Amino acid sequence: MSDLSRRGSRVALTVGLCLTVAAASAGPAWAQTAQGQKTLSQMLSEREQRAAQSRQSNGSKIFGAVVGLGVAYACGAFNQQQTAQQRQLCALGATVAGYGAYLLGKEITKNLQAKDQKKVLAAASESLRTGEPAALELPDSRAQASVTPPSTIVTKEADVDVIYDTSRVATLSNIDVLAQPYLVTTAAELRDNPGGGRVTGRLAAKSAVYVAGQVPGSDWYMVSERVVDGDAEGKMIVGYVNGKALKPADPALQIAGRAMPSSAAEGKLRAVLRCGEMEFQVRDQLGKTSKSKSAMCRGPEGTPISA
């Protein structure tokens, strides 16, 4: 075997080992519960694992997998003395850290704790929406960060993972992503299909809802609720409402959370995303500055994704 072939085999083995052990580190987080219903932590962890496996085998992917493994070891994902829930949350933290490393890059993530990585990614998502730069103080990491949005925003179609309530949603329609809170201006009906279908609920006037996106060429908007499961949280699609009853709200408006119902399931929908190359800069406590760039899109849950 040539030196080049041997080096290629070693790289392939390294990537495969990282992803295999990362999945194993999650333990129960990759399996359904005895009742067949996954927790929110499991759904989000599996989503990040699928995202990692779909990326090309390059340096960023390897680094992201290694960071995820490091977090998993540090918080005890392999420790069988911990409860199943503790291992699930640990595995979730590992995949989030790995994904953050992939999007932010090695030079940025090595200076930030996982919690601060999430803050920077959230700021990047908001910058994609507004086109405005953001500056952050990160006391946990004793650092400062800045996010600069791209000068040019492009739209891109992609299939994205979502969580939806099967008891209230019959169709996962294509959407143009909006990903922000809206206010209900007048009482409205929530339906299981855009344009009509079964009435599954009612929205009170002056209440707040989260809009994942607008159905192209129509006045119908896809509505989500915030669901929580311990330290994990996400958005769950719950139906469609006519846009005549909505108006945009303050993006910082907090939507009340609820426990995820047993009727929740995972699915995919086709979405038009706003994407661009973000610039990141972090200044640590010693005054050292790190910079990186990353191509990312704003997903229907308001979080940055690669597509």
Side-chain angles (χ1 to χ4, degrees), residues 8 104 175 254 288:
L104 296 176
I175 59 169
Q254 291 294 315
K288 180 181 178 181

Side-chain angles (χ1 to χ4, degrees), residues 46-224:
E46 289 178 349
R47 179 189 299 181
E48 300 298 354
Q49 178 69 7
R50 288 193 297 270
Q53 290 175 332
S54 69
R55 298 178 196 126
Q56 294 181 350
S57 297
N58 55 31
S60 295
K61 178 177 179 179
I62 296 172
F63 176 70
V66 171
V67 169
L69 278 173
V71 174
Y73 272 115
C75 72
F78 298 101
N79 186 354
Q80 296 301 314
Q81 294 182 347
Q82 291 197 26
T83 67
Q85 183 181 25
Q86 287 173 327
R87 291 197 299 270
Q88 288 171 13
L89 292 175
C90 178
L92 176 62
T95 54
V96 167
Y99 191 60
Y102 172 77
L103 289 178
L104 296 176
K106 179 179 179 180
E107 291 304 312
I108 297 294
T109 55
K110 74 178 182 181
N111 291 317
L112 298 179
Q113 296 185 17
K115 182 167 64 174
D116 286 338
Q117 291 178 35
K118 293 173 68 175
K119 290 179 181 178
V120 174
L121 288 173
S125 177
E126 187 61 15
S127 287
L128 271 176
R129 188 188 70 81
T130 65
E132 298 293 329
L136 300 90
E137 293 288 340
L138 305 171
D140 288 342
S141 300
R142 298 181 182 180
Q144 297 172 317
S146 65
V147 177
T148 304
S151 57
T152 301
I153 297 290
V154 299
T155 57
K156 182 175 182 179
E157 286 193 37
D159 292 323
V160 297
D161 293 314
V162 294
I163 299 171
Y164 70 106
D165 189 341
T166 58
S167 69
R168 292 190 281 175
V169 178
T171 302
L172 288 175
S173 174
N174 295 357
I175 59 169
D176 294 334
V177 169
L178 295 173
Q180 73 172 84
Y182 275 66
L183 291 176
V184 180
T185 57
T186 183
E189 295 175 334
L190 196 64
R191 295 182 178 269
D192 67 350
N193 277 302
R198 181 170 59 95
V199 175
T200 59
R202 287 174 172 78
L203 303 177
K206 299 183 180 180
S207 62
V209 296
Y210 185 87
V211 172
Q214 182 177 3
V215 178
S218 79
D219 288 330
W220 288 88
Y221 288 66
M222 178 181 284
V223 175
S224 295

